[in-house]
């Protein structure tokens, strides 16, 4: 972070999973919930295979760009589990897009709310850019952004590290100098490479940076820089 200047900062773009909240903690909570659910419903065990292959296929197709990506991700999964698309969507909706949201507030990283508040106070716009839909997750964490972008949105149709989503955000906000934008994410091979391809400065979130009060320190830097600059 010390190598990145926040002078003239106009937009901060956040990844969501593993960036705004502790994904390891969430996974522990979800593992307990899944075990509790399926131990009493063994006849539904095929749902676990759906979840496994849905995530695996998305991971194996990182960087993929193509039409109707939102639908394509379910087609990849169907080819592995031989289940109807509607069934796959039902399972994914329940266990990936909805059920975990109840745990997100408790898993949110310390300092995130302070950073969002500081950015809003200084009229620095906030964008969310995730490979997954994030609006309901943000509501669960009680966080608000100015723009929400998912890789599966019709205007993007590309997984990270393809930079189309980040480029879309910059264009949407009229950013021509990429140093006026900052991307914060937790996966160097996805978020970091995406930022590199788009020419946008990048901050990595990991256990070390979080334990060193990354978000609280960023908040202080935002406040100090904006106060010192007359832009």
């Amino acid at each position: 972070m010390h190598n990145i200047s926040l002078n003239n900062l106009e937009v901060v773009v956040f990844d969501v999973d593993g960036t705004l909240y502790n994904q390891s903690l969430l996974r522990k909570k979800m593992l307990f919930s899944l075990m509790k659910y399926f131990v009493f419903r063994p006849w539904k065990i095929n749902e676990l295979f759906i979840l496994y292959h849905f995530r695996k296929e998305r991971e194996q197709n990182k960087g993929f760009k193509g039409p109707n990506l939102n639908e394509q991700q379910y087609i990849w999964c169907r080819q592995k589990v031989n289940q109807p698309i509607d069934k796959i969507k039902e399972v994914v909706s329940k266990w990936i897009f909805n059920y975990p949201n109840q745990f997100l507030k408790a898993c949110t990283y310390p300092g995130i709310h302070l950073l969002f508040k500081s950015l809003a106070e200084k009229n620095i716009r906030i964008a969310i850019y995730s490979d997954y839909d994030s609006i309901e997750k943000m509501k669960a964490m009680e966080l608000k952004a100015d723009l929400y972008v998912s890789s599966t949105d019709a205007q993007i149709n590309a997984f990270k590290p393809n930079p189309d989503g980040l480029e879309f955000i910059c264009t949407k906000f009229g950013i021509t100098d990429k140093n006026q934008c900052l991307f914060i994410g937790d996966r160097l091979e996805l978020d970091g490479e995406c930022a590199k391809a788009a020419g946008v400065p990048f901050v990595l979130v990991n256990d070390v940076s979080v334990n060193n009060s990354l978000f609280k320190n960023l908040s202080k830097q935002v406040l100090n820089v904006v106060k010192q600059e007359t832009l």
Side-chain angles (χ1 to χ4, degrees):
M1 182 62 218
H2 61 278
N3 292 323
I4 296 177
S5 172
L6 299 185
N7 290 347
N8 304 320
L9 187 64
E10 293 289 340
V11 179
V12 177
V13 183
F14 293 89
D15 172 54
V16 176
D17 304 308
T19 296
L20 300 181
Y21 66 85
N22 187 325
Q23 197 166 31
S24 178
L25 178 58
L26 177 67
R27 284 173 176 166
K28 290 177 182 177
K29 292 178 180 293
M30 282 301 300
L31 178 61
F32 177 79
S33 295
L34 288 167
M35 290 176 62
K36 183 178 178 181
Y37 180 84
F38 287 108
V39 73
F40 295 109
R41 301 169 181 83
W43 62 91
K44 289 192 173 185
I45 198 69
N46 67 308
E47 293 185 7
L48 286 177
F49 293 101
I50 290 174
L51 295 174
Y52 170 77
H53 284 290
F54 180 78
R55 289 190 179 279
K56 183 179 180 181
E57 289 306 307
R58 283 176 54 108
E59 189 69 22
Q60 290 185 340
N61 283 282
K62 60 186 178 183
F64 176 89
K65 179 176 180 176
N68 202 6
L69 182 54
N70 186 57
E71 192 70 15
Q72 181 63 53
Q73 62 184 336
Y74 297 105
I75 294 174
W76 291 330
C77 183
R78 183 186 61 186
Q79 293 169 346
K80 297 296 182 179
V81 300
N82 195 28
Q83 292 282 337
I85 290 287
D86 287 345
K87 175 63 177 179
I88 295 172
K89 288 182 177 180
E90 176 188 336
V91 173
V92 169
S93 176
K94 176 179 180 177
W95 291 111
I96 293 181
F97 293 129
N98 290 293
Y99 193 92
N101 294 347
Q102 62 188 296
F103 304 124
L104 289 181
K105 187 175 180 181
C107 296
T108 304
Y109 278 132
I112 279 291
H113 287 87
L114 177 62
L115 177 55
F116 271 61
K117 180 181 177 182
S118 299
L119 291 168
E121 286 178 356
K122 298 303 174 182
N123 295 317
I124 297 173
R125 290 162 293 183
I126 298 171
I128 298 298
Y129 174 34
S130 173
D131 274 339
Y132 289 91
D133 292 335
S134 59
I135 293 178
E136 294 305 316
K137 294 179 182 180
M138 293 291 288
K139 289 179 180 177
M141 290 184 282
E142 298 181 355
L143 294 169
K144 294 182 180 180
D146 300 294
L147 179 65
Y148 300 88
V149 175
S150 168
S151 296
T152 56
D153 289 345
Q155 63 268 39
I156 309 300
N157 277 328
F159 285 139
K160 301 172 187 172
N162 184 295
D164 285 7
L166 203 49
E167 295 283 6
F168 173 83
I169 292 171
C170 290
T171 300
K172 196 77 173 177
F173 285 129
I175 301 298
T176 54
D177 180 358
K178 298 297 181 61
N179 289 315
Q180 293 180 322
C181 182
L182 179 66
F183 188 23
I184 301 177
D186 70 306
R187 296 186 62 177
L188 198 59
E189 77 279 14
L190 295 182
D191 303 315
E193 287 301 312
C194 176
K196 183 178 179 180
V200 171
F202 177 71
V203 171
L204 179 67
V205 176
N206 55 29
D207 290 340
V208 174
S209 63
V210 170
N211 290 335
N212 287 325
S213 303
L214 169 67
F215 298 114
K216 291 181 181 178
N217 291 333
L218 271 173
S219 179
K220 291 178 182 178
Q221 291 184 49
V222 166
L223 292 174
N224 289 337
V225 166
V226 173
K227 286 180 181 178
Q228 293 170 1
E229 296 294 325
T230 55
L231 303 176

